Amino acid sequence: MIIVLKKGATVEQVEEVSTRLTEEGLKVHLSEGVEKTIMGAIGDRMRIEALDLEALPWVEKVVPIMAPYKLVSREFHPADSIIRIGEHEIGGSNVHVMAGPCAVESRAQILETAHAVREAGATFLRGGAFKPRTSPYSFQGLEEEGLRYLAEARAETGLLVITEVIDAQDVSLVADYSDVLQIGARNMQNFILLKAVAKCGKPVLLKRGPSATLEEWMMAAEYIMDGGNYQVMFCERGIRTFESYTRNTLDLSMVPALHALSHLPVIVDPSHGTGRWQLVHPMAKAALAAGADGLIVEVHPHPEKAVSDGKQSLTPETFQGMMADLARLTLALDRKLGE
């Protein structure tokens, strides 16, 4: 249920409603807007109705949320959520680009890439230190050594770090080195991991599973928010279809769909979404035109030598050209690229 309080409701009145709800064993989530305060109550619907909260003079209305996802829903939080990470805001008028290699391969590689993407206008550095791979014989990542290289690159360039965490037991370690935790597509419904990142307090980028429906994806985000972490961003990275020319089918219809149903920011990954570096630039433009709040793109100084995903990685030169093009596009969209 959503309890909408009238404009001017006092702290004491909000607390009284909250106390009534918690005494009935309900979870309470508060969303304070400029005009109104909205309370989300999760639990037995009959108990909420029995409280007759609409009889309170400072309660405007009590509305049931029919969708299975509650906290993720725009019904619960009508205004767009702004995720503040360091000095950056995601979900507002600025469009942010997260760029870097698929995997952190060496100190020299990540530092070279970090300086290149920073110069081109990226605000976040991406790079995998823990790599979940289809084959057990493929490169699995440098683990903590790779995290240290990412932290060093952040110190040199000022770029914030986003990297993937693949196991609940590693959440605190990865959180110590990074600014944003990425939940990869394979782990979208790893509920133990979702509960763990909910407790860590760091922003989370939740990638869509390769076969996940919109509702399943939103319910995965609900796990994180229900655990107390409201700093969640969706990431559309393509789904598996019958098409074999591209690595995945980048479903850009999810960008406006998510914005209609949810208040959370939406990031698009055109690198994994296509699997071909030649398609990254045009699909990045299409993503921003569809309303994406940011992009996450793979960039490698020498894609032909990359240990993973070289075919979908841009060179620093092609990335710089794309960024110049995106800067012009964002102006036409009445937005701004980066800071």
Side-chain angles (χ1 to χ4, degrees):
M1 290 280 196
I2 289 176
I3 299 96
V4 181
L5 305 185
K6 291 180 180 178
K7 185 177 180 180
T10 66
V11 174
E12 292 75 17
Q13 290 169 338
V14 173
E15 184 61 32
E16 180 176 339
V17 176
S18 180
T19 300
R20 289 194 184 195
L21 293 168
T22 53
E23 285 177 348
E24 291 296 322
L26 302 162
K27 283 187 177 181
V28 179
H29 300 267
L30 189 64
S31 175
E32 294 182 295
V34 176
E35 293 292 328
K36 296 178 181 178
T37 297
I38 297 175
M39 304 179 76
I42 299 177
D44 188 337
R45 180 174 172 176
M46 298 299 291
R47 288 192 173 190
I48 302 174
E49 292 176 344
L51 290 173
D52 196 19
L53 294 174
E54 286 183 305
L56 296 173
W58 59 87
V59 173
E60 182 175 305
K61 58 184 175 180
V62 177
V63 183
I65 300 178
M66 304 309 294
Y69 40 85
K70 313 298 182 185
L71 305 176
V72 174
S73 171
R74 192 171 283 279
E75 291 180 82
F76 168 67
H77 193 289
D80 291 339
S81 282
I82 306 295
I83 310 297
R84 292 175 175 83
I85 311 170
E87 297 180 353
H88 304 313
E89 293 185 346
I90 297 181
S93 59
N94 286 9
V95 173
H96 289 273
V97 177
M98 308 167 181
C102 172
V104 179
E105 301 166 9
S106 68
R107 176 178 179 273
Q109 171 242 20
I110 197 63
L111 289 176
E112 180 182 354
T113 307
H115 283 285
V117 300
R118 175 62 176 169
E119 183 179 348
T123 44
F124 290 78
L125 174 65
R126 62 146 295 151
F130 293 84
K131 298 300 299 177
R133 306 299 298 280
T134 301
S135 170
Y137 310 112
S138 298
F139 178 64
Q140 304 291 312
L142 297 179
E143 300 183 350
E144 188 171 3
E145 180 185 0
L147 293 174
R148 288 197 296 269
Y149 295 154
L150 286 167
E152 183 179 353
R154 174 178 55 204
E156 282 198 15
T157 64
L159 293 170
L160 299 183
V161 169
I162 174 171
T163 191
E164 184 173 0
V165 58
I166 63 175
D167 195 302
Q169 68 181 8
D170 295 323
V171 169
S172 60
L173 172 66
V174 178
D176 285 343
Y177 288 95
S178 64
D179 302 288
V180 181
L181 300 180
Q182 175 184 305
I183 300 297
R186 291 179 176 89
N187 276 317
M188 189 204 80
Q189 289 185 310
N190 182 339
F191 301 118
I192 294 175
L193 180 57
L194 297 180
K195 291 177 181 179
V197 298
K199 297 175 182 177
C200 81
K202 286 289 179 77
V204 177
L205 182 75
L206 179 64
K207 286 201 164 187
R208 183 185 186 184
S211 302
T213 65
L214 174 62
E215 183 173 302
E216 290 168 342
W217 190 13
M218 295 179 74
M219 290 302 292
E222 189 82 6
Y223 265 89
I224 301 171
M225 294 189 71
D226 185 54
N229 188 347
Y230 285 23
Q231 302 177 93
V232 183
M233 298 168 279
F234 289 109
C235 181
E236 167 58 43
R237 46 79 68 198
I239 53 174
R240 182 172 294 173
T241 68
F242 54 81
E243 181 54 66
S244 58
Y245 179 75
T246 52
R247 180 175 180 175
N248 294 290
T249 296
L250 189 58
D251 187 2
L252 293 182
S253 67
M254 286 298 99
V255 177
L258 282 167
H259 280 149
L261 296 173
S262 177
H263 53 93
L264 299 175
V266 184
I267 309 296
V268 171
D269 180 350
S271 299
H272 283 91
T274 63
R276 292 173 176 263
W277 71 265
Q278 300 94 331
L279 302 180
V280 171
H281 184 164
M283 294 309 292
K285 292 193 293 184
L288 296 190
D293 299 297
L295 301 166
I296 183 166
V297 178
E298 291 190 351
V299 180
H300 195 289
H302 305 286
E304 72 282 359
K305 298 179 182 178
V307 297
S308 62
D309 290 350
K311 291 181 180 180
Q312 64 191 40
S313 299
L314 300 178
T315 64
E317 293 75 23
T318 52
F319 177 71
Q320 190 168 35
M322 182 188 79
M323 290 293 286
D325 205 9
L326 295 181
R328 291 188 290 270
L329 176 60
T330 51
L331 285 175
L333 296 170
D334 199 25
R335 302 184 81 175
K336 182 181 178 184
L337 188 64
E339 298 297 337

